[in-house]
Amino acid sequence: MTRMTKILGLLLICSLSYSFAQPPSGVRGGGFSASGRFYGRIVDGNTNKGIDASSVQLTQIKVNPQTKEKSETIISGQLTKSNGDFSLENLPTSGEMKLKITAIGYLSLEKSVKFQAPNFDLDLGNIKLEQDAKQLEEIKVVATKPFMQMGVDRKIFNVERNLVSTGQTATELMKNIPGVDVDIDGNVSLRNASPTIFVDGRPTNLSLDQIPSDAIQSVELITNPSAKYDASGGTAGIINIILKKNRKAGYNGNLRTGIDTRAMPNFGGDLNVKQDKVNFFISSMYNKRKSIGTGESVRDEFFYTPTIRYTQNNNPISNGFFNFNRAGLDYFIDNRNTITLAGNFVQGKFGNTDLLAIQTDTLYSSGVKSIFSERVTDFEGRFKNYGATVGFKHLFAKPGKELTADLNLNNSNNSNGGGFNTQYFDVNRIAKGNPIKQAQEGKGSNTFYTAQMDFSNPLSAQSKIEMGARVAVRDFQSENLNYINGLPIFSLNANYKFNDRVLAAYTTYSNVVGKKTNYQVGLRVENSKYSGTLLTNGKGFSNSYPFSLFPSLNFTHQISQSQDLQFSYARKINRPNFFQILPFIDYTDSLNINRGNPDLVPEFTNSMELNYQISMKGNHGLFFSGYYKQTDNLITRFQVKEASTVSNKDVLINTYINANNSRAYGLELTSRNPITKWLETTTNLNMFNSSINSSNLQVDLNNSLWSFFGKINMNIKLPSSFTLQLTSEYRSKSILPQNNGGGGGRGGGGSMGGGGGGWGGFTQTTAQGYVMPNYGFEFALRKDFLKEKRASLTFSMNDMFKTKVFGSYSSSQYFTQTNSRRRDWQVLRVNFSYRFGKVDASLFKRKNTKAGADGMQEGMNMQQ
């Protein structure tokens, strides 16, 4: 392990050394170009009425590859509609272009235009043709779309060409995103805390393992969200998953299939058609999965005399499938008004089996007395998820002024059944008595409604105001039935329902000071209420959190053409969820007893970041981020000793408490380096300190630790259209991530895996534990072939050296505990993909004269 760690460290240092060796340059970004669109309306300068059949042409300076001479080339053009509308699509996003407009009876007009990332769909507004020539303002925009881009408040990773996660899910994809850490159970952490997951800018009921990686276009990391975003649940930031949706004129699509060494196949495809006013998209994915793991856990309990030691070994297996379907359309009423309809349907079934061997040793002074038992777990769970979205977008004639509104509905239903069979043995491993059979049946539903409206209005060329309002309502119901040896045990049943509601409104104001400095100030107000009922006894309870204010501040200064400095501040809240406040003791797993705490109060976080970005020659880029977060009344897991209500002995109960506070601060570095024409690396390093102050609960319970996380992605272009991708990561000893799962992770219908300890071992606490160091390596090799490289074959393997071991340690006045687990090592996958499509150039030729049509077609042919 030490040797592997040194190798990884050497790779990281080499990558950074190369970054610092590059001189600054005025060139930003790098990578491949996107498909852009300019649109607007040509109007009479006096009457503001649209001008029909105006000629709109877009030109760009091109270099003849044979003569090396530069010439102005027509890359797109059309005649305006009767209302003056035009839309130039499938445009290159790099370089400066010139827009030329002519109409009978009007003077010609020319203006320079550019794109600026990430806005490649740009409204040029109403363009007036006057009797007197009038110089219009130049639109300044950047023109590249690399693997990593920097937005004003986020890092954007364009993952469409990620190879390692091909044919898998968003969980595996996240393992290749710089700065994101994924544990053995699929829990995602960002800077050692749990982020909020968005899909297309909105919260979702979908889990990451229910979203296929091939359906994802990009991933946005918003580490310090402004007042525009939810204040609740975002103490670690937001991971926003953008699903694929193409708006190129014509049709295009993709067909995929694959299989792994466990004989688990996957199939999928997507299609996008855009013609006239309609853009239609549809995608589907079917994925069979088999997950295999091993685990070992040792716990010494001190609250009995003498000490009791539990040693567990298990081999969990999960086998099943999931199916993802999505469809929708954009209807362009005109250039300024768009209606979007979209829906998704996700379903799956997984069977979970496990053989847990337990040795219980009572440590007497005179010797050890041992009891042996085996617990066989066999569960099957099913889930279905339905989602629908209706959106409307209106663009005003004034550039940048827009109104959006959308309604979202997401409904999840699941059911499960199975149980535990526990057999005890004597020291000679001879069965003692009959096995104890515990069976469970459960079902549940989770419905999430959101309605949101946003308005943006530029007050001047330098300032802008944004405002919006949002309503979110969630209805949840869960029912469980428990049996022991065939007899119902009503005291174990956990039947409940709850409703939570969040009302929010925000406003932000941004302004430019001089030419290189801009700032944004924002304020958000939120109110929420929980109400729930225990269906077993009809007892109800509720929690209401009054209106709270959440300010934000963003400041950006352009030091030079290649350097930017950013500062941001935001206040966030994390309210206890229903499971964390539910005062019901869950005995369904006797090894992991859980109960909520109705006395929990919300935790508030103040977060600050200082970022520095520099672009260098050869498209090299560095991004430094220093951050500090303090959370008061931290909600964390805790274990207490209490008398059992179903047995005559004391037991440990996993619950939740408010610790005094927690602090996290550190320095993060992200580097992108096209080292040669055939080698590109993206490196992320994060050195941070995490501390939890729980002295209000127990003396000397404070926990503080410096930690390090590093990840490097390497893309290597090989001869004959081969591409190799290597990914490696290392995580040092660190405090267990805060607010990670626990009771908040339960789904309707109860546990599908039959145990709160995940893949082997007991439930871990947070305030009293840490994660042991771990590291791993992954690779993928792709071969592109056929005409225009439309087909590709990809080979990939995760944890290829079988080094990814997830270990943890926790302790309290009652026990010490260590866990060691691994999952899905050295699985080889083979995936085939075929891309098809055609751009319909006829969409550019409406009511055109023969000369104009010939000229435009010639320009487009030269572009190709």
Side-chain angles (χ1 to χ4, degrees):
M1 178 173 177
T2 303
R3 185 178 180 183
M4 288 295 182
T5 304
K6 290 181 178 179
I7 293 173
L8 176 59
L10 183 60
L11 288 173
L12 297 175
I13 292 172
C14 291
S15 175
L16 291 177
S17 298
Y18 195 90
S19 300
F20 284 110
Q22 303 304 311
S25 167
V27 181
R28 295 170 176 253
F32 57 91
S33 295
S35 177
R37 179 171 80 118
F38 288 128
Y39 60 97
R41 179 174 295 174
I42 309 302
V43 298
D44 185 285
N46 296 321
T47 66
N48 282 325
K49 291 183 178 181
I51 303 175
D52 183 25
S54 300
S55 173
V56 181
Q57 290 187 354
L58 191 68
T59 66
Q60 190 174 41
I61 300 299
K62 297 286 186 178
V63 178
N64 189 307
Q66 297 178 346
T67 65
K68 306 300 181 182
E69 295 180 354
K70 295 182 179 180
S71 61
E72 188 175 27
T73 304
I74 298 174
I75 60 175
S76 184
Q78 66 176 200
L79 299 180
T80 59
K81 298 179 181 180
S82 59
N83 64 351
D85 280 358
F86 70 93
S87 178
L88 306 180
E89 304 181 10
N90 300 323
L91 304 177
T93 59
S94 58
E96 184 175 287
M97 289 164 272
K98 185 176 292 185
L99 189 69
K100 298 182 178 182
I101 304 168
T102 60
I104 298 176
Y106 296 89
L107 293 179
S108 300
L109 184 147
E110 294 185 5
K111 62 182 295 187
S112 297
V113 291
K114 277 184 170 183
F115 288 106
Q116 180 171 350
N119 184 14
F120 300 116
D121 197 62
L122 193 59
D123 184 358
L124 301 181
N126 286 347
I127 300 177
K128 297 181 179 181
L129 295 185
E130 304 281 359
Q131 294 298 318
D132 297 325
K134 183 177 181 180
Q135 184 66 36
L136 298 180
E137 294 182 359
E138 179 183 2
I139 302 175
K140 298 181 179 179
V141 188
V142 188
T144 56
K145 187 181 178 183
F147 168 69
M148 184 187 78
Q149 291 176 273
M150 288 306 307
V152 175
D153 61 348
R154 68 196 66 192
K155 291 193 285 284
I156 304 168
F157 296 94
N158 301 294
V159 297
E160 289 182 278
R161 297 188 298 178
N162 182 272
L163 306 184
V164 173
S165 58
T166 300
Q168 301 188 69
T169 69
T171 301
E172 286 75 27
L173 179 64
M174 291 300 164
K175 296 177 182 178
N176 295 281
I177 302 298
V180 176
D181 189 27
V182 183
D183 71 12
I184 190 173
D185 297 311
N187 297 313
V188 175
S189 60
L190 188 62
R191 294 177 177 173
N192 210 44
S194 299
T196 300
I197 304 297
F198 279 16
V199 173
D200 288 334
R202 296 291 182 264
T204 180
N205 279 350
L206 290 172
S207 60
L208 290 177
D209 59 2
Q210 295 173 359
I211 305 174
S213 59
D214 296 306
I216 300 174
Q217 174 177 306
S218 62
V219 175
E220 300 178 346
L221 303 186
I222 310 174
T223 53
N224 202 22
S226 70
K228 184 176 181 178
Y229 298 95
D230 289 359
S232 55
T235 55
I238 294 171
I239 295 181
N240 185 28
I241 296 173
I242 306 297
L243 300 179
K244 292 178 180 177
K245 184 170 68 172
N246 204 322
R247 287 187 172 179
K248 289 184 178 180
Y251 70 91
N252 58 84
N254 189 298
L255 297 176
R256 303 177 295 273
T257 186
I259 195 168
D260 64 24
T261 48
R262 293 173 179 168
M264 296 290 107
N266 68 81
F267 310 93
D270 52 70
L271 175 67
N272 195 96
V273 179
K274 184 177 186 300
Q275 186 76 20
D276 295 328
K277 294 186 175 184
V278 177
N279 180 64
F280 173 77
F281 55 92
I282 185 171
S283 63
S284 182
M285 178 78 177
Y286 177 87
N287 195 328
K288 291 202 68 176
R289 303 196 68 189
K290 184 176 183 179
S291 190
I292 299 175
T294 63
E296 179 180 352
S297 177
V298 179
R299 177 163 71 177
D300 289 345
E301 295 185 349
F302 310 131
F303 62 91
Y304 291 121
T305 302
T307 297
I308 297 178
R309 173 172 295 166
Y310 297 92
T311 303
Q312 299 183 1
N313 291 277
N314 69 329
N315 297 277
I317 298 175
S318 175
N319 198 339
F321 78 92
F322 81 93
N323 170 232
F324 177 92
N325 306 277
R326 178 172 176 261
L329 61 87
D330 300 311
Y331 177 66
F332 304 97
I333 303 173
D334 53 39
N335 274 354
R336 301 263 162 73
N337 296 280
T338 304
I339 294 177
T340 299
L341 303 174
N344 65 267
F345 170 65
V346 184
Q347 63 176 335
K349 181 179 76 172
F350 283 89
N352 301 302
T353 60
D354 191 8
L355 175 60
L356 180 64
I358 307 173
Q359 178 177 334
T360 305
D361 298 321
T362 305
L363 308 181
Y364 295 98
S365 58
S366 57
V368 178
K369 180 180 178 181
S370 300
I371 299 176
F372 301 93
S373 63
E374 289 183 351
R375 189 178 76 173
V376 178
T377 303
D378 189 358
F379 270 80
E380 182 179 275
R382 298 172 180 266
F383 66 86
K384 290 184 178 180
N385 180 283
Y386 307 86
T389 299
V390 179
F392 172 74
K393 184 174 184 178
H394 173 70
L395 302 175
F396 295 86
K398 182 179 180 180
K401 184 178 181 181
E402 64 179 50
L403 174 70
T404 62
D406 59 71
L407 298 173
N408 296 271
L409 168 65
N410 200 282
N411 175 262
S412 296
N413 295 278
N414 64 64
S415 62
N416 64 76
F420 316 108
N421 289 342
T422 303
Q423 176 67 63
Y424 289 90
F425 303 86
D426 60 21
V427 292
N428 298 316
R429 299 301 177 99
I430 298 175
K432 296 173 59 178
N434 295 322
I436 300 174
K437 298 181 179 180
Q438 181 181 351
Q440 296 180 6
E441 296 177 2
K443 62 180 180 179
S445 64
N446 188 354
T447 305
F448 194 18
Y449 314 85
T450 62
Q452 182 159 337
M453 180 174 290
D454 300 278
F455 175 71
S456 176
N457 183 28
L459 303 178
S460 66
Q462 290 78 31
S463 62
K464 179 176 68 173
I465 188 170
E466 295 180 85
M467 58 186 66
R470 182 173 183 267
V471 178
V473 179
R474 186 190 303 270
D475 289 316
F476 187 101
Q477 182 163 335
S478 178
E479 300 179 19
N480 286 276
L481 298 177
N482 291 269
Y483 306 85
I484 294 181
N485 295 330
L487 299 176
I489 309 297
F490 298 104
S491 61
L492 299 184
N493 295 342
N495 302 324
Y496 46 84
K497 65 179 181 179
F498 77 86
N499 169 275
D500 74 74
R501 181 208 66 204
V502 178
L503 306 176
Y506 77 91
T507 184
T508 64
Y509 172 78
S510 56
N511 196 9
V512 178
V513 180
K515 295 183 178 180
K516 296 185 176 182
T517 303
N518 64 75
Y519 66 88
Q520 180 193 80
V521 293
L523 183 65
R524 186 180 186 90
V525 59
E526 286 193 357
N527 168 269
S528 71
K529 180 180 180 180
Y530 285 101
S531 60
T533 303
L534 287 172
L535 301 178
T536 51
N537 57 19
K539 182 180 179 181
F541 64 96
S542 64
N543 256 335
S544 180
Y545 303 105
F547 286 100
S548 299
L549 299 179
F550 303 95
S552 68
L553 171 65
N554 293 78
F555 170 88
T556 302
H557 176 68
Q558 184 180 9
I559 300 174
S560 66
Q561 190 66 22
S562 60
Q563 300 180 74
D564 292 307
L565 187 67
Q566 300 173 334
F567 172 81
S568 64
Y569 162 81
R571 184 176 189 249
K572 298 295 179 181
I573 186 175
N574 186 38
R575 304 176 183 92
N577 63 39
F578 177 79
F579 303 104
Q580 292 172 331
I581 62 177
L582 180 67
F584 175 82
I585 300 179
D586 182 2
Y587 287 102
T588 52
D589 181 0
S590 60
L591 297 178
N592 298 286
I593 302 172
N594 295 277
R595 183 189 63 203
N597 177 6
D599 295 324
L600 287 177
V601 298
E603 59 181 37
F604 288 89
T605 298
N606 289 284
S607 176
M608 292 180 288
E609 283 191 18
L610 181 62
N611 303 320
Y612 170 74
Q613 177 188 5
I614 181 171
S615 300
M616 297 173 285
K617 284 185 177 179
N619 290 330
H620 293 266
L622 281 173
F623 180 80
F624 295 89
S625 181
Y627 58 92
Y628 176 85
K629 295 183 179 182
Q630 173 160 326
T631 300
D632 296 318
N633 296 320
L634 175 74
I635 299 173
T636 185
R637 293 200 67 119
F638 192 66
Q639 293 187 324
V640 295
K641 172 185 173 183
E642 291 184 5
S644 171
T645 59
V646 297
S647 64
N648 296 319
K649 66 175 184 178
D650 290 341
V651 294
L652 279 180
I653 295 179
N654 302 298
T655 185
Y656 300 88
I657 48 85
N658 286 109
N660 279 344
N661 56 60
S662 71
R663 292 185 179 89
Y665 55 91
L667 179 64
E668 183 178 23
L669 167 64
T670 303
S671 167
R672 178 180 178 272
N673 303 105
I675 297 175
T676 67
K677 292 183 179 179
W678 53 268
L679 173 61
E680 178 179 316
T681 65
T682 301
T683 307
N684 178 267
L685 303 176
N686 187 11
M687 179 74 71
F688 59 94
N689 178 276
S690 297
S691 62
I692 300 176
N693 179 0
S694 304
S695 58
N696 59 315
L697 307 170
Q698 181 183 328
V699 178
D700 297 328
L701 237 180
N702 297 339
N703 199 356
S704 180
L705 193 64
W706 276 98
S707 303
F708 168 80
F709 177 79
K711 183 181 292 188
I712 182 170
N713 298 328
M714 304 178 68
N715 282 283
I716 305 171
K717 295 181 180 179
L718 302 175
S720 302
S721 298
F722 280 94
T723 302
L724 177 65
Q725 187 176 93
L726 301 174
T727 301
S728 59
E729 67 176 22
Y730 173 80
R731 182 188 182 98
S732 70
K733 176 181 175 182
S734 56
I735 292 177
L736 286 167
Q738 303 163 21
N739 305 318
N740 196 9
R746 302 181 209 169
S751 170
M752 292 176 60
W759 277 61
F762 294 95
T763 297
Q764 290 286 351
T765 62
T766 298
Q768 303 145 291
Y770 59 81
V771 177
M772 297 176 183
N774 63 74
Y775 65 100
F777 302 84
E778 299 184 351
F779 91 94
L781 179 67
R782 184 182 69 189
K783 165 67 175 177
D784 295 322
F785 55 100
L786 297 185
K787 184 180 179 180
E788 299 176 339
K789 298 182 179 180
R790 289 179 176 265
S792 63
L793 191 65
T794 303
F795 299 84
S796 62
M797 178 180 286
N798 57 298
D799 196 10
M800 59 183 180
F801 297 130
K802 199 179 177 179
T803 58
K804 198 74 172 177
V805 180
F806 293 84
S808 60
Y809 172 84
S810 58
S811 65
S812 75
Q813 59 182 329
Y814 305 120
F815 72 93
T816 61
Q817 177 179 317
T818 58
N819 277 4
S820 178
R821 301 184 290 159
R822 69 168 77 240
R823 183 178 184 179
D824 294 337
W825 56 92
Q826 296 177 331
V827 179
L828 179 65
R829 296 176 175 85
V830 181
N831 287 275
F832 171 78
S833 174
Y834 178 76
R835 295 167 292 280
F836 60 90
K838 179 181 179 181
V839 176
D840 188 358
S842 66
L843 296 177
F844 297 104
K845 300 181 294 181
R846 190 187 68 83
K847 295 171 62 177
N848 216 339
T849 63
K850 184 177 186 302
D854 292 342
M856 293 178 196
Q857 188 62 46
E858 179 184 1
M860 286 185 280
N861 290 338
M862 293 183 65
Q863 179 190 13
Q864 296 171 356

